[in-house]
């Protein structure tokens, strides 16, 4: 080897060593990465196998090892969360499932199990957010409907929960027993006892020996006991203010075109006579309006009645009698007697009441004797409970016929009515309503040669809020549009009112 060659090797030797070291380091990194990926895959597969075999504790450790190596593995976080839910460790389940959903929002089941974990932690508002997102994409999810209903009940929104529970039962019969139990609970908490008993009995019938079946049977027994121990008397009093821009007396077609303010007092009560199997009670109600200027429109009424009924679970019979005596200012004005038989039916969320009223009207002032009449009225009222966001929908239609002493005052015609009731924030109840009434007078021919026909439309809005100690605050507005070719009864009327009531 010559001198030049030796010197060249001496100069290149450090470079060769450096190259060998770099190659060795690269090989080590590659091998380490490969081993890490293999360890993560082995841990994940081991976790899956243990999970499928029901070894939850060791599966949990395997998935924890998996996410330590690969922290962006959404599936590993999902199974970690799923295991935590089965171990009833819902706080850790929420943490894992939130990471899984953040890493992969399309991961099946991640959002639903996250919502269920929030529900189990009683974080109902947090549960409702993902549940509503799921239902927006897939309204046919029975489980999402079920837990939406349960979360709403957790927020004391019992009426709002029922449509979701009903939908869950329709979509998946496996939820029938649980759904019916919670529907019964919601009916109970909203005072719909016949419907509550019906739902609870259906829940028991699915499987009397299951835990839910036993809970339904216990609540049904509580309902029966509550019914037997209800207070046998009730009292109610209300003091209010009213402004009316057109004082009227409907019974005599009197329209003043004058406005006035009034204080309004109402007092009433009832007393139970019988409870089971036949119910019976007597009641009395007093009403007095006191106007500041036009005292001739002050009205005082005394109404007393007795009612009896029999409840056959899904249907009921009732018979009522009312007697009303009315003063106008300080003068005796009129008295009425009414007999009202009816039959009611319950169908899931629907209650139908079919009834008839016979009313005898007796005017006590000589100038109104020609208005003494016999009034017949019959029809049906339908009540649909607990649609989404709506507590109740009411629709009624009836036909009325009045036979007066003066044939010109005889009339016939339909009455159509409807109302909604829903709850807004802070527990405020809102009830808009509408009534349409048509009266055709066949024997009253006006100067135009046409028969008299009255059309009256009434729009009303009532807002109420329960207060502590049996108090309730109520206010509202009513608008009447009476359209008639008989001039005295062609008018409009606006009324605003506010009051405070107390009940025992």
């Amino acid at each position: 080897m010559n001198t030049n060659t030796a010197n060249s090797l001496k100069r290149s030797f450090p470079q060769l060593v450096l190259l060998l070291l770099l190659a060795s380091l690269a090989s080590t990194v590659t091998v380490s990465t490969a081993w890490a990926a293999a360890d993560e895959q082995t841990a994940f597969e081991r976790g899956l196998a243990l999970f499928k075999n029901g070894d939850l504790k060791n599966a949990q450790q395997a998935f924890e090892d998996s996410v330590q190596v690969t922290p962006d593995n959404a599936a590993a976080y999902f199974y970690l969360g799923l295991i935590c839910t089965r171990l009833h460790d819902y706080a850790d389940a929420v943490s894992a499932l939130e990471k899984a959903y953040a890493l992969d929002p399309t991961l099946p089941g991640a959002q639903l199990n996250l919502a269920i974990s929030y529900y189990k932690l009683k974080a109902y508002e947090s549960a409702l957010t993902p549940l509503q997102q799921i239902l927006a994409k897939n309204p046919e999810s029975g489980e999402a409907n079920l837990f939406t209903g349960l979360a709403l009940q957790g927020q004391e929104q019992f009426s709002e929960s029922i449509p979701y529970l009903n939908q869950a039962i329709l979509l998946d019969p496996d939820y029938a027993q649980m759904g019916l139990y919670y529907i019964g609970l919601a009916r109970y908490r909203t005072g719909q006892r016949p419907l509550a008993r019906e739902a609870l009995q259906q829940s028991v019938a699915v499987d009397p020996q299951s835990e839910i079946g036993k809970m339904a049977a216990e609540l049904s027994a509580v309902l029966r006991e509550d019914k037997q121990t209800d207070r046998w008397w009730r009292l109610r009093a209300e003091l209010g203010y009213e402004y009316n821009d057109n004082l009227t007396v409907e019974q005599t077609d009197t329209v003043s075109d004058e406005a006035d303010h009034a204080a309004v007092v109402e007092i009433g009560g009832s007393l139970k006579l019988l409870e089971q199997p036949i119910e019976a009670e007597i009641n009395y109600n007093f009403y007095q309006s006191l106007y500041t200027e036009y005292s001739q429109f002050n009205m005082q009424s005394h109404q007393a009645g007795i009612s009896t009924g029999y409840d056959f679970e899904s249907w009921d019979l009732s018979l009522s009698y009312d007697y009303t005596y009315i003063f106008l200012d300080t003068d005796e004005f009129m008295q009425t007697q009414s007999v009202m038989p009816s039959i009611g039916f319950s169908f899931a969320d629907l209650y139908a009441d079919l009834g008839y009223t016979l009313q005898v009207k007796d005017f006590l002032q000589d100038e109104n004797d020609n208005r003494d009449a016999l009034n017949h009225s019959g029809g049906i009222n339908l009540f649909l409970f607990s649609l989404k966001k709506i507590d109740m929908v009411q629709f009624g239609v009836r036909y009325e016929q009045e036979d007066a002493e003066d044939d010109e005052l005889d009339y016939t015609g339909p009455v159509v009515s409807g109302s909604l009731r829903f709850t807004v924030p802070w527990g405020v109840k809102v009830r808009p309503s509408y009534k349409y009434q048509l009266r055709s007078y066949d024997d009253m021919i006006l100067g135009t040669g046409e028969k008299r026909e009255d059309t009256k439309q009434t729009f009303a809005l009532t807002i109420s809020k329960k207060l502590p100690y049996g108090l309730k605050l109520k206010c509202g507005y009513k608008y009447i549009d009476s359209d008639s070719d008989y001039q005295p009864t062609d008018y409009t009327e606006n009324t605003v009112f506010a009051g405070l009531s107390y009940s025992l």
Side-chain angles (χ1 to χ4, degrees):
M1 179 181 297
N2 57 37
T3 304
N4 291 334
T5 302
N7 290 336
S8 176
L9 287 172
K10 287 179 182 179
R11 287 195 299 269
S12 63
F13 182 75
Q15 297 175 355
L16 290 173
V17 171
L18 179 61
L19 288 172
L20 288 173
L21 286 172
L22 289 173
S24 175
L25 179 61
S27 175
T28 302
V29 170
T30 301
V31 170
S32 298
T33 303
W35 275 106
D39 284 347
E40 190 277 331
Q41 185 66 20
T42 301
F44 183 79
E45 291 177 351
R46 186 172 71 253
L48 280 179
L50 291 166
F51 178 77
K52 290 176 181 177
N53 290 329
D55 188 351
L56 298 181
K57 284 293 187 182
N58 287 320
Q60 183 179 23
Q61 184 59 57
F63 286 122
E64 286 176 352
D65 293 341
S66 176
V67 298
Q68 285 294 326
V69 178
T70 310
D72 59 352
N73 188 338
Y77 278 115
F78 171 71
Y79 280 105
L80 261 179
L82 205 57
I83 289 169
C84 288
T85 62
R86 297 191 181 182
L87 295 174
H88 307 294
D89 185 0
Y90 297 110
D92 285 344
V94 165
S95 177
L97 290 167
E98 280 183 337
K99 290 177 182 176
Y101 184 69
L103 289 167
D104 185 1
T106 66
L107 196 63
Q111 197 174 21
L112 179 59
N113 281 282
L114 175 61
I116 293 172
S117 298
Y118 273 127
Y119 168 76
K120 296 293 187 179
L121 289 170
K122 299 184 179 180
Y124 303 119
E125 188 65 37
S126 297
L128 283 170
T129 300
L131 285 168
Q132 295 293 355
Q133 292 172 354
I134 294 168
L135 290 177
K137 299 174 186 175
N138 180 22
E140 304 301 309
S141 171
E143 197 167 10
N145 275 283
L146 177 71
F147 276 95
T148 299
L150 298 182
L152 287 169
Q153 289 203 10
Q155 291 188 315
E156 303 281 316
Q157 298 181 49
F158 294 100
S159 295
E160 293 84 346
S161 74
I162 294 175
Y164 292 99
L165 297 171
N166 274 328
Q167 186 70 0
I169 295 169
L170 289 173
L171 293 168
D172 191 340
D174 288 343
Y175 296 134
Q177 186 167 49
M178 178 178 287
L180 286 165
Y181 168 75
Y182 281 101
I183 288 171
L185 177 62
R187 299 292 193 203
Y188 171 53
R189 292 296 298 272
T190 54
Q192 302 169 44
R193 293 187 176 184
L195 294 175
R197 289 197 298 272
E198 182 181 353
L200 291 168
Q201 288 165 1
Q202 291 174 359
S203 178
V204 173
V206 174
D207 184 359
Q209 300 306 315
S210 69
E211 183 179 352
I212 290 291
K214 292 175 181 177
M215 290 168 59
E218 289 174 2
L219 182 53
S220 184
V222 169
L223 274 174
R224 288 194 297 271
E225 183 178 344
D226 280 357
K227 190 172 182 180
Q228 293 172 355
T229 58
D230 272 350
R231 186 187 292 124
W232 55 277
W233 57 271
R234 295 185 183 278
L235 290 175
R236 177 181 172 276
E238 180 173 333
L239 178 63
Y241 161 83
E242 180 177 292
Y243 171 77
N244 189 312
D245 73 346
N246 187 3
L247 301 175
T248 62
V249 180
E250 180 184 6
Q251 296 90 335
T252 57
D253 295 331
T254 302
V255 179
S256 71
D257 292 323
E258 300 291 347
D260 203 354
H261 305 262
V264 177
V265 179
E266 295 184 55
I267 300 172
S270 62
L271 180 66
K272 287 187 178 181
L273 304 177
L274 297 171
E275 285 194 319
Q276 288 184 337
I278 299 176
E279 298 179 351
E281 72 172 30
I282 56 174
N283 61 77
Y284 169 77
N285 292 284
F286 168 82
Y287 171 87
Q288 175 73 66
S289 60
L290 296 169
Y291 286 96
T292 56
E293 295 184 38
Y294 297 95
S295 61
Q296 64 270 34
F297 288 93
N298 291 345
M299 184 170 287
Q300 181 184 117
S301 71
H302 302 263
Q303 178 268 325
I306 182 169
S307 62
T308 183
Y310 194 100
D311 185 359
F312 294 90
E313 300 299 342
S314 62
W315 64 285
D316 58 82
L317 290 171
S318 66
L319 177 64
S320 301
Y321 167 80
D322 280 347
Y323 175 78
T324 303
Y325 200 92
I326 301 174
F327 291 86
L328 199 57
D329 198 4
T330 57
D331 299 325
E332 295 177 329
F333 177 56
M334 69 179 296
Q335 61 181 353
T336 65
Q337 298 183 71
S338 304
V339 178
M340 296 163 286
S342 69
I343 181 170
F345 301 91
S346 298
F347 308 95
D349 291 329
L350 179 68
Y351 179 78
D353 180 66
L354 184 65
Y356 164 76
T357 300
L358 172 64
Q359 186 178 68
V360 179
K361 298 180 179 180
D362 181 15
F363 286 82
L364 304 174
Q365 298 171 347
D366 292 341
E367 64 268 25
N368 293 322
D369 281 346
N370 62 330
R371 294 181 177 273
D372 293 348
L374 193 64
N375 184 284
H376 303 268
S377 175
I380 188 169
N381 266 309
L382 301 175
F383 299 87
L384 184 59
F385 296 98
S386 307
L387 297 172
K388 292 181 180 180
K389 308 297 183 183
I390 299 177
D391 302 338
M392 182 196 74
V393 177
Q394 175 269 328
F395 174 77
V397 59
R398 60 187 173 90
Y399 190 80
E400 189 176 12
Q401 178 186 32
E402 182 153 302
D403 182 12
E405 287 291 328
D406 185 344
D407 291 343
E408 287 193 341
L409 297 176
D410 294 349
Y411 68 83
T412 59
V415 180
V416 180
S417 63
S419 66
L420 304 176
R421 187 182 70 209
F422 54 91
T423 305
V424 297
W426 302 296
V428 175
K429 298 285 185 182
V430 180
R431 185 169 185 171
S433 64
Y434 170 76
K435 184 170 76 171
Y436 171 87
Q437 184 175 23
L438 173 64
R439 291 180 175 180
S440 297
Y441 296 81
D442 289 338
D443 293 320
M444 182 181 286
I445 308 298
L446 303 175
T448 59
E450 299 292 331
K451 295 179 180 179
R452 176 184 171 184
E453 187 173 271
D454 294 355
T455 300
K456 180 181 286 187
Q457 298 183 79
T458 303
F459 303 85
L461 177 67
T462 303
I463 301 172
S464 61
K465 165 66 177 175
K466 285 187 176 180
L467 303 175
Y469 310 111
L471 296 172
K472 179 189 285 189
L473 183 64
K474 183 172 71 174
C475 61
Y477 167 75
K478 181 169 71 173
Y479 170 75
I480 297 175
D481 180 9
S482 180
D483 185 13
S484 175
D485 42 19
Y486 179 58
Q487 190 59 38
T489 58
D490 190 63
Y491 67 94
T492 61
E493 180 180 349
N494 293 275
T495 306
V496 293
F497 60 92
L500 184 66
S501 67
Y502 175 71
S503 299
L504 274 177

